[in-house]
Amino acid sequence: MRSAIVSRWREAVNGFWLVPGMVAVLIASLSLALVALDRSIGSDGALGFGGDPPAARDLLGVIAASLITVAGLAFSITMVTLQLVSSQFSPRALRGLLGDRPNQVVVGLFLGVFAYCVLVMRTLSEGGPGQDEFVPGIAVTTSIGLAFVALAALVYFIHHVGQVVQVSEIAADIGRRALAGVESVAGSGEEVEDPLDAWRLSGPPATSQAVRPGFVQSIDAGALARNLACDADVRVHVNVRPGDFVTEADTLLEAWPQEAVAGSLDAASRSAIIIADERDDAQDAGYPVRLLADIALRALSPGINDPTTAATAIGYLRAALERAAALPDPPRVSERDAHRATIVHSRQRFEELLDEGVGELSRTVGTYAYGPLLHLLDTVEREAQRGPRPERAKAVTAYRDEVARVRLAAG
């Protein structure tokens, strides 16, 4: 359950509604607090704004109308930016832009100042029989300050959008995510053979199927062990990895002995294995690697033909693969003695990350990408030879030979 909540929270935070909404609500709440402060001290214009209610209403109306117009402009710029990035680089790069925190905060600020002015405006009173005139001077003065802050934020927003749509910024952000993903899945420990064949000799396993088609986003071995309600030692083999696409016909888990987990395996699977509509780089190191390869491939397509963009993406791809070559493979076995369960699961290893990154590039190499790609393979090969598994260099050499063949055939 916790894994599912964390996944939903990350999706919400990286979307374009939660953070702007929270900022807007926070600023709107400020209006209520300041109006209450004005009422409690009875400023009557002595503090801050000293005009009458019609003047305050006109001022707040101008600010509110301006900010809702600016908010519409910000949304328009954002949509145009997303369309540009989708067509020029890769549709899968949109998630990073939607989750860009400065953009989210600025849009929330525009909406929040609009709501602030509307809420303050409704408290204005021109007086009358049995009613005193009321102008929340502190709240109205604060609205002027917020208007100037929003004006500065608009200038920053336009500047920031101009920065984040540059290929260097997009590739650098994805490159950092790729490096972080490679670091997070790496581990130490003795390499173990897959015990699946030996376990199957002990009898038929209990199995758990995928409940929907989609990509495996994350696997929580600890949650899986905790949710297996059993009184005997249990062995569980996870047949999928983060990044795999599964359907209802795919078996996610096999567990022995069958009778020990028959009643709890499906529930444990649903709580520990998150399946969603798209890949996520929380545990899937191959996803940002693939994004960099996609940007390079699109840049080399005849319709775009942008060799500089391809070289930039290949450069960050090289950094991620060099790091992967220098790190040990992640451990395959999770021993959960406290819960009497042994979980066998795997993550993407170096050879698979290499295929994600340069598999298609090596078959689509062009004149401008030949040099950067060859440099990538040479440096990754050197890192692999110095790393914990020198035999990895053979996989790199195979791709380098394929690049040379494609280049020779292209003339």
Side-chain angles (χ1 to χ4, degrees), residues 306-324:
D306 184 357
T308 303
T309 293
T312 302
I314 290 173
Y316 284 103
L317 182 60
R318 176 168 65 89
L321 292 177
E322 284 176 358
R323 188 60 183 146

Side-chain angles (χ1 to χ4, degrees), residues 7 15 18 75 80 91 101 141 189 202 222 244 253 324 402 409:
S7 176
L18 180 62
F75 280 116
V80 171
R101 204 67 71 226
T141 304
S202 65
D244 289 350
L253 303 175
E402 183 171 2

Side-chain angles (χ1 to χ4, degrees), residues 249-262:
D250 290 314
T251 300
L252 302 181
L253 303 175
E254 293 180 288
W256 292 263
Q258 184 183 65
E259 61 278 3
V261 296

Side-chain angles (χ1 to χ4, degrees), residues 194-203 237 256:
D194 193 335
L196 183 58
D197 291 338
W199 287 1
R200 282 176 174 164
L201 294 176
S202 65
H237 194 278
W256 292 263

Side-chain angles (χ1 to χ4, degrees), residues 7 16 110 112 142 170-171 173 220 275 309 372 399:
S7 176
F16 208 64
F110 294 155
T142 302
I170 294 175
D173 177 64
D220 189 341
I275 299 174
T309 293
Y399 279 110

Side-chain angles (χ1 to χ4, degrees), residues 75-89:
F75 280 116
S76 299
I77 292 175
T78 301
M79 293 302 105
V80 171
T81 301
L82 295 178
Q83 183 179 11
L84 173 66
V85 171
S86 176
S87 60
Q88 189 74 17
F89 303 123

